[in-house]
Amino acid sequence: MKKYIETIKSLSDLKNYRSLYHKSRCNSPMPSILELTELMELLKAVLFPGFWGYSDIREDNIIYNIGASLQKIEKILNEQIKCGICFECDNEEMQTQSCEYNVTGITEKFIKYLPKIKELLSKDVIAAYNGDPAAKSYGETIFCYPSILALTHHRIAHELLNLGIALIPRIISEMAHSKTGIEIHPGAKIGEYFFIDHGTGVVIGETTIIGNNVRIYQGVTLGAKSFPLDENGKPIKGIPRHPIIEDNVIIYSNSTILGKIVIGQNSIIGGNQWVTEDVPPNTKLFKK
Amino acid sequence: MKKYIETIKSLSDLKNYRSLYHKSRCNSPMPSILELTELMELLKAVLFPGFWGYSDIREDNIIYNIGASLQKIEKILNEQIKCGICFECDNEEMQTQSCEYNVTGITEKFIKYLPKIKELLSKDVIAAYNGDPAAKSYGETIFCYPSILALTHHRIAHELLNLGIALIPRIISEMAHSKTGIEIHPGAKIGEYFFIDHGTGVVIGETTIIGNNVRIYQGVTLGAKSFPLDENGKPIKGIPRHPIIEDNVIIYSNSTILGKIVIGQNSIIGGNQWVTEDVPPNTKLFKK
Amino acid sequence: MKKYIETIKSLSDLKNYRSLYHKSRCNSPMPSILELTELMELLKAVLFPGFWGYSDIREDNIIYNIGASLQKIEKILNEQIKCGICFECDNEEMQTQSCEYNVTGITEKFIKYLPKIKELLSKDVIAAYNGDPAAKSYGETIFCYPSILALTHHRIAHELLNLGIALIPRIISEMAHSKTGIEIHPGAKIGEYFFIDHGTGVVIGETTIIGNNVRIYQGVTLGAKSFPLDENGKPIKGIPRHPIIEDNVIIYSNSTILGKIVIGQNSIIGGNQWVTEDVPPNTKLFKK
Amino acid sequence: MKKYIETIKSLSDLKNYRSLYHKSRCNSPMPSILELTELMELLKAVLFPGFWGYSDIREDNIIYNIGASLQKIEKILNEQIKCGICFECDNEEMQTQSCEYNVTGITEKFIKYLPKIKELLSKDVIAAYNGDPAAKSYGETIFCYPSILALTHHRIAHELLNLGIALIPRIISEMAHSKTGIEIHPGAKIGEYFFIDHGTGVVIGETTIIGNNVRIYQGVTLGAKSFPLDENGKPIKGIPRHPIIEDNVIIYSNSTILGKIVIGQNSIIGGNQWVTEDVPPNTKLFKK
Amino acid sequence: MKKYIETIKSLSDLKNYRSLYHKSRCNSPMPSILELTELMELLKAVLFPGFWGYSDIREDNIIYNIGASLQKIEKILNEQIKCGICFECDNEEMQTQSCEYNVTGITEKFIKYLPKIKELLSKDVIAAYNGDPAAKSYGETIFCYPSILALTHHRIAHELLNLGIALIPRIISEMAHSKTGIEIHPGAKIGEYFFIDHGTGVVIGETTIIGNNVRIYQGVTLGAKSFPLDENGKPIKGIPRHPIIEDNVIIYSNSTILGKIVIGQNSIIGGNQWVTEDVPPNTKLFKK
Amino acid sequence: MKKYIETIKSLSDLKNYRSLYHKSRCNSPMPSILELTELMELLKAVLFPGFWGYSDIREDNIIYNIGASLQKIEKILNEQIKCGICFECDNEEMQTQSCEYNVTGITEKFIKYLPKIKELLSKDVIAAYNGDPAAKSYGETIFCYPSILALTHHRIAHELLNLGIALIPRIISEMAHSKTGIEIHPGAKIGEYFFIDHGTGVVIGETTIIGNNVRIYQGVTLGAKSFPLDENGKPIKGIPRHPIIEDNVIIYSNSTILGKIVIGQNSIIGGNQWVTEDVPPNTKLFKK
């Protein structure tokens, strides 16, 4: 190792690579991908008992498994939300004490919202079953459909974002992207009975709004047309710039919908379409 | 946890979320993703010894490794096939006894078919090497090509489906989709010397039939044009609705072939094509 | 197991499946995916301390973590590079002794190059932050952006390839493909401040050359138009056949750039474009 | 491995080493030390929640942890009791069916007896605290005293033996021996408030009977004087041959009490004594 | 599990088994055997680098390994000392804040004392090598001698006790007892160059004082003769009641030394002796 | 960690603690307790298939399990024997090359000797069953008797010592001591059908010789009376100094046999005896 002394020094010198380094205010560790992975395993086991986690769940043992899992979920969430808040924190005066208080409250609200997430996902399961002639049972869609996995991550991440935290939901969302090829920004608002068939290559942007009973296919992008730059030539963050997809819309594979436009209800967008302007309700768009 | 008592009760109440719950007839656990993952690791180590699993395989130790792996494969398959059958079972009169009998038979037939699967995959390896100028050796394609991984899962899943079971092959197939971005429904019939280059975004539907020496590229969809609904507005399951790709066809990236049409032998479909009608043999299709 | 004796024999008979078997010259094991996965975890923990690996990295403990990780990196690299060289080796006269010598030298050169890789990646982080209005901090791009993960693998793999080894970098590169849907061949030359947004479906071929400040989107292919066959009908390996993308180019989603062509500096290629000929500098290409 | 073919054959030939091989009647695997180790971890976590297993047990989460643990205990016990019965089974006509029935019943009785075991152990904890001036709290005796560990294993093993199974309790008992140096045969009958101080080298034989409030020290043997042989010169199994220790007896370190004799109540046996005859009540035995 | 509802309730009802339950004041988890086991692995790796932990320690990498281990030691110690203090705490007014302060200080003092512990242990290694003709090298005594393992635990536990904490050192001490059969209470004061040969069955009581260059053998007890009871018939805790062993004493196997007596310097106590009165210096005691 | 910089330096300075540091000649790592633990698990699984390791061993799968285990045994043994030889090596001129050659030969001889070890152990199993009226079956003695575990380690360690290596067998022997409380030096020569009942506290010294059909009980020491010192006051290593126990001897619990004396055949030594002179054949020694 003697020959690597300079290498080690260089790699350890935080000043050399300013952008890669982060110093948290409150001496908290950074968020941990490992812990968040464990968290998602526990959440999936609570939302779909038997499908994820311990496979021998029955009516008379489910309550103990849910309870034991929630207890671990509470612990990890408290820690990781705190790590996430500290990581993003810019306020040099902020104090650990006050953070702790918020964190406990956020965790509690989130856990109490889990039954609502479960209800939403049960509707997504029905949508998947109804939307694909190859689906043989509800259970098959939970076990095998990337749509259900991506939406499980999304509905969790979206609620965490609603509760005021930012980085952790992004990490959770990217975990689903890595496994499914479906990227949904936690900020996207998605209605009931949503189904993404096949899914690889789907991108749903931060300010997208999707109604009920919407179905989209692989390779569909709901993206931004362009984004305004500020006076320094940097993109202005957070401006609404993604589509609004109304109820009962179907978008076939590899179509690209760009910009803050509206796809009116009951419309069908064919495959490989490039759409950058509003589409009125009840339209069938199959341009060649 | 006192504050979560209602949450726990709600999440444990199986009546609240009917579609997410499953009660097996024969008191069997549900299929386990964890066990099936272990199964696939073992199968890959048996089909490509040294590439997967223990890396120090030689001529004089291979038989012990194959034997020890097959024994674990047999055990997991017996359990998981039974779990899968019970999960799908609708027959309230069915009895564990009779299931057990079938399971053992299916496992035995499957294991005895493994040499045939290995032979098919060895041809897919040759196809990958010949189909990509960047490939430096057969071994490189086994180590690195998503095509080989996806086809390993597919040829296993397809045979399990042929043996009469349904859910387990779908899970196995989705595992490959998650890792490669290539989705092949276990029902698809695929000939010899098949090669998918790059692969991300490829979708091959349930009733697709592919001949010998076919090569396709990333983003290619072999899908259904539409699907008929029954009187309740639900899709009718299981109807042939995907393309037939004849021998020696090449389909370039991001092309979409939809419906029960035939792409005639020796044809070449260019990139970004949208094809919904039969293509005669020996055609070169490069529409703009 | 008695019933499987023929199956075991068949699966163990290396002559049956010639293409799937490999016999190394120097009695070395084959490269191990497991070890290479561990290697990448260690390298990521050294390049982005705290983001990957142990999450409680601080100014006063970083040097011990870097040092302890480098020591393990050195050990695995020495072993795996040797396994890789032996796997590819055709020279029946080559001797273990001389291999060992080269391996140590390659490992040393690679480890000493790590600070340079870190510097390149710190610029890619800035490019990601500036390139996406949804990015809230540099840290978020390291935690969540497939672009950073793919480029971390690529810049490592590319340097290993430069040092004269071939198979190991390909495996490292495919690991990133599996997780991100972004496939970058280790041979591709990529400049500074590169950003791939969303990323799923991106393919960057072996002989691609990319300048500085380039940004591309999901589904973009930088591929080969076709490849010449030799007298046996096999593709000729290693010929330059992929695009040259000059500085400051942007290529929007799902566009396909094929062949050894040049996309001139400051050009913008719209989405869904099919480009097989040179594009002059400062062009905006938005064909319909 | 070629050079080891004869070694492998010899080690695999079950006829060569008859006594080391066992063939179960009902095709069940052998008992598994690994599974039984897991079982004991779970049982200890149920009997002393927080001391063993998950360390953050509180009033409002304990029920979920107990429930989730019992469910796993039930599963392992059912399997291992069955393995143990099959291992010991001599009846060539016995059928799996009837075994299964018994196993479930034994498991159920055992689990329902756990609260009684917990009550007995809580008294042993009090005895340890009162018996050692170095003990600072009840909790310390649970965390640190080999007496409590050995009695936890014993009271579990003794009850399993009472329920009619033999091998599994012996394995459980030997686990405690290995960790504490205290060997208690599962057959020994032990009253309430028993305490073994230090414990290393203690041996308590199969047919020993111990009253209430007994305290013994390290190196004490409660053994057999000799054992009658049958006509073949083999020891006759199962005859009562160990001491009866009545209430309130203390036996100091390294004393040996041999044979089916009675140590009368309230007696004190000094250290290093060799006792092979009855000791009347209220005796203080300090021979030199 | 329905049949176990009463069992679960009973096992979860903390009131039923008062002595087995503990409620910490500051809502801290209980000490964790698992964490303390990890702590001891790390401490052993720091005190005997290469012998314990990572086996490839060299002059040029040792500092990184020590540093990385100390960092984890600091984290676990802070947590576990806090858990231990809370577990033992009786002061209902005590506040978390003040505990935390103490904990950090104790951890810091302990870690800074580690070089002193290492120095003491290096002398114990020399004593073991010199005391046993079977020892072939210093290294062998570190790898194989229960004496070194027991003293490593003891010198750590003793220092922690000196720093004012009680339960954690007892747990650490019992860990060594379990592995070596040597029980040394953390309170015992032990001089330099101490050696316990073979060791099984050795007991060294809480208030024992041992000089320099002392050697004892298996089965030796340095215990209390009896202990005074308080008015409630409970033993009075903490009174000096164990022997003082002066410099250069040897005590052979299975001898028992009881009570607050002095074994004068340079004395040799033969095997199997029972000693309850002072022994003058330079005595050779071989009673029959 | 800044506050620990001096501590880290001190702990890393190998000169400070000369006796604790070791510098191997050939740049090999030190022997690894972890690897040797794995080795013993594999050896036990090969010697008692089903009892140790995978629990579902049957006639038709045993050969694959034995083969796969032997292959791992060979690998670990080669590495660890080399590490052990380098650790002990004093010859500064010795070269790696020559060591490697010896190591392979030792491993091969050892593995080929395994059937002989298995045969010896099968006789020890019979001795345990015949020697204890509490034993219900041969199998029970393999699962539960410390005697069998200690002899498994001993017969392995003794053979390794015979093959010329020293440190590794000592570590293997101490592993059994830790688990059983039985310490047998690898140098001890032990005949067939040996049985140690209960075992805690047994010590069998380096130059002990034990005949056939010998049975001993807990706490028995076969030790050295004293050992001659050299001119520097250090013990002279390796001189015969332990007892010879002839065929058919029984030695009851806690007896101590010291020095190079002979216990004649068919003798019985009672419990708690102190023997330092020859005992003629056929003696019954029950001194009080």
Side-chain angles (χ1 to χ4, degrees), chain A residues 5 27 69 72 109 113 147 157 179 181 205 222 230 235-236 238 279:
Chain A
I5 282 181
N27 219 20
S69 295
K72 290 178 199 153
K109 277 181 199 153
Y113 189 75
S147 180
K179 285 193 187 309
L222 308 177
D230 64 15
I236 304 179
V279 170

Side-chain angles (χ1 to χ4, degrees), chain A residues 4-75:
Chain A
Y4 298 135
I5 282 181
E6 284 315 305
T7 305
I8 292 170
K9 271 193 198 150
S10 168
L11 288 168
S12 303
D13 185 349
L14 300 167
K15 290 179 200 70
N16 283 357
Y17 316 92
R18 216 187 45 79
S19 72
L20 302 190
Y21 176 62
H22 194 276
K23 188 175 176 182
S24 70
R25 307 266 165 247
C26 302
N27 219 20
S28 148
M30 288 162 70
S32 159
I33 300 287
L34 224 70
E35 290 292 314
L36 290 170
T37 305
E38 164 82 356
L39 174 70
M40 286 309 303
E41 289 306 306
L42 289 163
L43 283 170
K44 287 187 295 184
V46 154
L47 294 168
F48 298 108
F51 292 86
W52 297 97
Y54 191 59
S55 68
D56 197 5
I57 296 294
R58 292 150 201 244
E59 261 186 301
D60 64 356
N61 68 28
I62 189 172
I63 199 167
Y64 306 113
N65 286 278
I66 299 286
S69 295
L70 273 196
Q71 162 188 4
K72 290 178 199 153
I73 286 168
E74 187 188 26
K75 187 171 187 299

